Amino acid sequence: MVTTPFGEANEIPLNAFLEELLPPLHSSIQFDELLPRAGKSGISFPVAQNGRLWGYAANTPSSLKGLPTPDGRVDWTTIAIPGAYSKTKTKVDLEENITKITQCMSQCMYRDARRRFVYAFTAEDSIMRLWYCDRAQIVCSDTFDFVTNWRPLFQFLLRVMYAKRDELGFDPSISTLSNESGRLQYEITVRSTSGEDYVYHTLDVLSSGDSDILGRGTRVWKAIRIEDGKPSGEPVVVKDSWVSDRRDREGHINASIRESAGTEELKEIFDRSLLTVVAHGDVLIDGALDHTRVSLTQDIDLSSGSSASEEQDVLKTRRDRRLVHYRIVYKEVCDHSLDSISSLYRLFSVLEEACNGLRALHECGWVHRDISAGNILLYNDSIKIADLEYADRTLRLREYKHSAVGTASFIALEVKFGNYLFLPEPKIPNILEGCPPGFDVAKFYAENEEREARGEEPLPFPGIIDLDSIVPPPDFSYNPLHDLESLWWIAAFFIITRTVEGAEDATKKATQRMEAQRKLAYDLFSGRTKRYDVIQKKDYFMTSLSCLHPSLRKVAKLVESAREHLVTGYITTEKNLDPENLEIKHDVYTAFQTCFDAISSKLKDRDILVRRLERENHEGSS
């Protein structure tokens, strides 16, 4: 493994990198004959008689020249293969080049929506390493001296120089456009599940994701459909992302949720609270599914000649990291997410509507699993619960091992820990009851292990308690209460990470209060060290809020009552927990809606306008 700023890079043998990751040599190139032909044609032969790359002295450590840094801003859309150089090969040079090259690969993929993966190389003096990254992994070759071992270098150069654009990571289903303002726009082809192609021209960027190499790489555009070369219809939303090959696609999930609505009322709620899918489908490159490569690591030596069955067994264990390129088009162009709201009256009206949407989702046997401030969108006078990638049927969730998905600042505590936190105290039986005086349990089990090793029947346990009858805690599974807890954390987030507009106060006391609020916001939503106490400990939430503006503390009292109902829901539900037939034993939905309605009613005529709490450049700020 090689440590990079973006995580660990898998280091694999050079030959495996060349043969398994690089594009194939062009069919017209015969590599073994290429260099001799160059010499016969009168061109200086690039390899000296001593077998070294020509022009590099035997003992000159600084012979590799670095390219000068160009003035001005780098246009990452014009860079096919980034490289990082240094004249020497110290440990510092190595670490700097690793940082530079991974940052370059990151920028190539972040700045250019066409990039699906990137090749790169680094060199310290004559020591070179080849690099590759896609949305699932970073891979590098082991090092080689390109002066004495020049064949891999020429292999690399020839393969990338004559490769097709899609073989270098460019997406042929996206092309660049330019408009009068000079801002980069795209023409995107969306292949629907029915096999029909839809062409869209982007109008505006709604979300460009983040610059991390690994992950979903989600981009969202406002776009217009192009038919017969002309714009057609109203603007729509095009979302491009990389999703798990093991999960249903978001378009299918959306349709399945709508199909599960058994009444007209539920159908109307879903029409109001869910986005409308226009088209969706996996991205195809030359007719083949576009996906990331199976994870490669040092222990998979693809040059070792292992059998196909052995290789398949190894690769099966690594398919969990494979991501599929996917696009979906929505009818509704939503105005904003909750993050844009400055009115607390509007916020709690929205949360009440979101709670109603979640109630309908849960009644139909589904859970969302990623409720966050960014996944509740504003659309005209209603809301849309978006990002259904992780939504699933509650019954199906009990069939496979729990995974903690969700947005860190809003994830439910039980989901984070993967355990039920409100189970009643277990009754611990006295396993020695009925056993003879001085009975040694450890010795008893050690003797039985020896008997089993000899093929003898184990002795029965002499006590009254049958140890096999002791029922362990049930395996953890996601349930509707976890969605509701995420909704509660959103309400808390907007109280704690906001300050009242126009309430500036430059006094020392006000400054100290603001600093305490920043620390509280950090502890709950960045460091997240106090989240357990907020949910588990009675009155802890309110006693933590003395740093807030008085008007926010009044709102917080009602939010606290919602938390109390949530905890009651957990306790009553987990008192007699049956994961196979889970029933929420307390009406948390009504409690939440009553709370949110009470807040919005109080604020209807006397609204509180808030703004983001300003950050400070020191540890402990929000």
Side-chain angles (χ1 to χ4, degrees):
M1 289 288 186
V2 174
T3 301
T4 83
F6 298 91
E8 298 295 325
N10 295 326
E11 185 177 19
I12 65 173
L14 176 60
N15 187 57
F17 191 103
L18 293 171
E19 298 304 323
E20 300 297 328
L21 286 179
L22 286 181
L25 276 173
H26 192 277
S27 58
S28 65
I29 297 176
Q30 300 297 320
F31 181 75
D32 291 333
E33 300 177 7
L34 179 65
L35 297 182
R37 282 206 306 269
K40 292 176 183 178
S41 65
I43 302 174
S44 298
F45 192 59
V47 180
Q49 291 183 351
N50 61 2
R52 299 170 60 88
L53 195 64
W54 186 86
Y56 286 86
N59 298 307
T60 306
S62 60
S63 57
L64 181 62
K65 303 299 180 182
L67 294 179
T69 303
D71 294 331
R73 186 165 174 252
V74 174
D75 184 357
W76 293 101
T77 64
T78 65
I79 296 176
I81 307 292
Y85 312 80
S86 63
K87 295 181 179 180
T88 55
K89 51 184 176 183
T90 66
K91 182 179 179 182
V92 173
D93 294 324
L94 173 63
E95 292 175 350
E96 287 183 351
N97 271 355
I98 290 174
T99 298
K100 289 177 182 177
I101 203 60
T102 50
Q103 288 176 342
C104 284
M105 292 191 293
S106 169
Q107 289 300 309
C108 284
M109 296 182 71
Y110 173 62
R111 301 291 179 184
D112 191 347
R114 299 170 300 170
R115 297 307 292 264
R116 301 148 47 235
F117 55 85
V118 178
Y119 295 109
F121 62 94
T122 53
E124 299 84 38
D125 184 40
S126 61
I127 302 302
M128 180 171 278
R129 191 194 298 268
L130 306 180
W131 293 81
Y132 165 87
C133 74
D134 58 28
R135 288 295 173 187
Q137 62 185 321
I138 307 171
V139 181
C140 63
S141 73
D142 49 20
T143 59
F144 65 99
D145 188 323
F146 70 85
V147 175
T148 58
N149 184 21
W150 45 265
R151 292 178 66 87
L153 171 60
F154 282 99
Q155 281 266 11
F156 175 73
L157 293 176
L158 288 170
R159 286 174 183 248
V160 300
M161 286 170 60
Y162 291 96
K164 296 184 297 183
R165 289 181 62 81
D166 63 279
E167 292 177 324
L168 295 179
F170 289 91
D171 187 344
S173 65
I174 301 182
S175 58
T176 56
L177 303 170
S178 60
N179 57 14
E180 294 179 358
S181 66
R183 185 171 57 183
L184 189 64
Q185 292 181 314
Y186 296 98
E187 179 178 278
I188 303 175
T189 299
V190 178
R191 170 64 62 89
S192 72
T193 52
S194 62
E196 184 177 358
D197 285 345
Y198 297 84
V199 178
Y200 296 91
H201 282 187
T202 62
L203 303 174
D204 196 10
V205 177
L206 300 181
S207 175
S208 57
D210 59 52
S211 58
D212 195 350
I213 294 175
L214 306 177
R216 301 172 58 82
T218 302
R219 303 174 193 269
V220 185
W221 296 274
K222 180 180 178 180
I224 191 79
R225 186 178 176 187
I226 302 298
E227 292 186 282
D228 299 324
K230 297 179 181 180
S232 174
E234 296 296 318
V236 295
V237 170
V238 176
K239 178 180 175 181
D240 180 281
S241 60
W242 295 79
V243 301
S244 171
D245 67 342
R246 298 178 300 166
R247 295 199 53 77
D248 291 339
R249 306 296 186 260
E250 188 173 358
H252 292 305
I253 294 173
N254 187 298
S256 296
I257 291 173
R258 292 173 180 274
E259 290 170 2
S260 66
T263 66
E264 289 300 320
E265 180 185 3
L266 289 171
K267 291 178 182 178
E268 290 176 4
I269 293 175
F270 288 150
D271 285 341
R272 182 175 174 84
S273 60
L274 298 182
L275 294 167
T276 305
V277 177
V278 175
H280 72 105
D282 296 337
V283 177
L284 302 181
I285 305 296
D286 287 339
L289 181 65
D290 187 21
H291 55 73
T292 58
R293 295 176 183 267
V294 172
S295 177
L296 298 175
T297 57
Q298 181 67 50
D299 61 311
I300 307 177
D301 185 353
L302 298 177
S303 62
S304 63
S306 58
S307 68
S309 61
E310 290 174 336
E311 183 175 304
Q312 282 296 335
D313 288 340
V314 174
L315 296 183
K316 282 180 183 177
T317 65
R318 307 185 186 280
R319 279 184 57 84
D320 60 325
R321 295 188 62 186
R322 178 173 286 193
L323 301 178
V324 173
H325 199 179
Y326 175 72
R327 293 193 183 118
I328 187 168
V329 182
Y330 293 113
K331 175 183 176 182
E332 299 88 356
V333 181
C334 294
D335 304 320
H336 301 284
S337 68
L338 290 190
D339 284 327
S340 66
I341 292 181
S342 59
S343 160
L344 287 190
Y345 163 73
R346 175 69 172 134
L347 171 71
F348 284 96
S349 299
V350 166
L351 292 181
E352 181 182 358
E353 189 174 350
C355 186
N356 192 46
L358 285 177
R359 183 200 289 262
L361 191 72
H362 298 159
E363 283 183 9
C364 293
W366 290 80
V367 283
H368 187 281
R369 299 176 73 212
D370 190 19
I371 293 296
S372 71
N375 289 344
I376 299 177
L377 307 179
L378 310 181
Y379 180 66
N380 297 334
D381 295 329
S382 64
I383 62 102
K384 296 291 182 181
I385 299 175
D387 290 343
L388 300 174
E389 295 99 319
Y390 296 109
D392 212 333
R393 293 177 176 86
T394 50
L395 287 176
R396 195 169 80 157
L397 285 173
R398 297 165 200 154
E399 296 174 1
Y400 57 83
K401 189 175 181 180
H402 164 72
S403 59
V405 299
T407 303
S409 293
F410 309 105
I411 193 170
L413 282 183
E414 290 191 340
V415 180
K416 177 183 177 182
F417 293 118
N419 289 306
Y420 294 110
L421 301 179
F422 297 90
L423 293 170
E425 288 292 328
K427 296 180 180 179
I428 303 176
N430 178 13
I431 63 172
L432 295 181
E433 185 178 357
C435 293
F439 178 74
D440 189 329
V441 176
K443 184 177 179 181
F444 170 81
Y445 280 107
E447 290 177 353
N448 264 351
E449 287 180 1
E450 293 177 0
R451 291 177 67 88
E452 289 181 343
R454 295 193 300 266
E456 301 174 6
E457 288 290 326
L459 298 173
F461 190 77
I464 296 175
I465 302 297
D466 180 5
L467 297 183
D468 293 331
S469 67
I470 300 177
V471 179
D475 292 334
F476 178 77
S477 180
Y478 198 101
N479 67 58
L481 288 174
H482 301 131
D483 277 350
L484 293 175
E485 183 179 333
S486 293
L487 197 66
W488 185 88
W489 280 113
I490 293 175
F493 177 83
F494 276 87
I495 295 173
I496 294 169
T497 67
R498 298 297 190 266
T499 185
V500 176
E501 190 72 58
E504 291 81 2
D505 190 342
T507 64
K508 182 178 180 181
K509 184 176 181 180
T511 302
Q512 291 174 339
R513 181 178 62 79
M514 189 73 73
E515 180 61 27
Q517 185 179 353
R518 290 192 187 98
K519 185 178 187 307
L520 176 63
Y522 178 85
D523 288 343
L524 292 183
F525 300 105
S526 294
R528 298 181 285 278
T529 58
K530 303 296 183 181
R531 292 169 68 85
Y532 182 88
D533 292 335
V534 166
I535 294 296
Q536 285 276 39
K537 295 183 178 179
K538 182 177 175 60
D539 299 327
Y540 184 90
F541 180 64
M542 287 305 301
T543 57
S544 302
L545 304 184
S546 59
C547 56
L548 297 186
H549 188 276
S551 62
L552 294 180
R553 289 203 297 272
K554 292 179 181 179
V555 174
K557 288 183 179 180
L558 288 170
V559 175
E560 165 65 3
S561 71
R563 185 203 65 82
E564 291 174 350
H565 281 285
L566 175 68
V567 171
T568 300
Y570 277 127
I571 293 173
T572 55
T573 299
E574 296 177 16
K575 187 175 182 180
N576 294 295
L577 187 63
D578 180 5
E580 298 302 320
N581 187 26
L582 187 139
E583 179 183 353
I584 306 301
K585 305 290 198 309
H586 182 69
D587 190 359
V588 184
Y589 304 98
T590 299
F592 269 40
Q593 288 180 287
T594 301
C595 163
F596 298 152
D597 178 67
I599 295 174
S600 58
S601 296
K602 288 178 179 294
L603 298 176
K604 186 173 183 180
D605 297 323
R606 299 186 65 181
D607 198 2
I608 300 175
L609 300 181
V610 294
R611 58 180 171 80
R612 292 175 183 273
L613 188 64
E614 294 180 0
R615 296 173 180 265
E616 293 290 332
N617 295 323
H618 58 75
E619 186 177 358
S621 64
S622 67

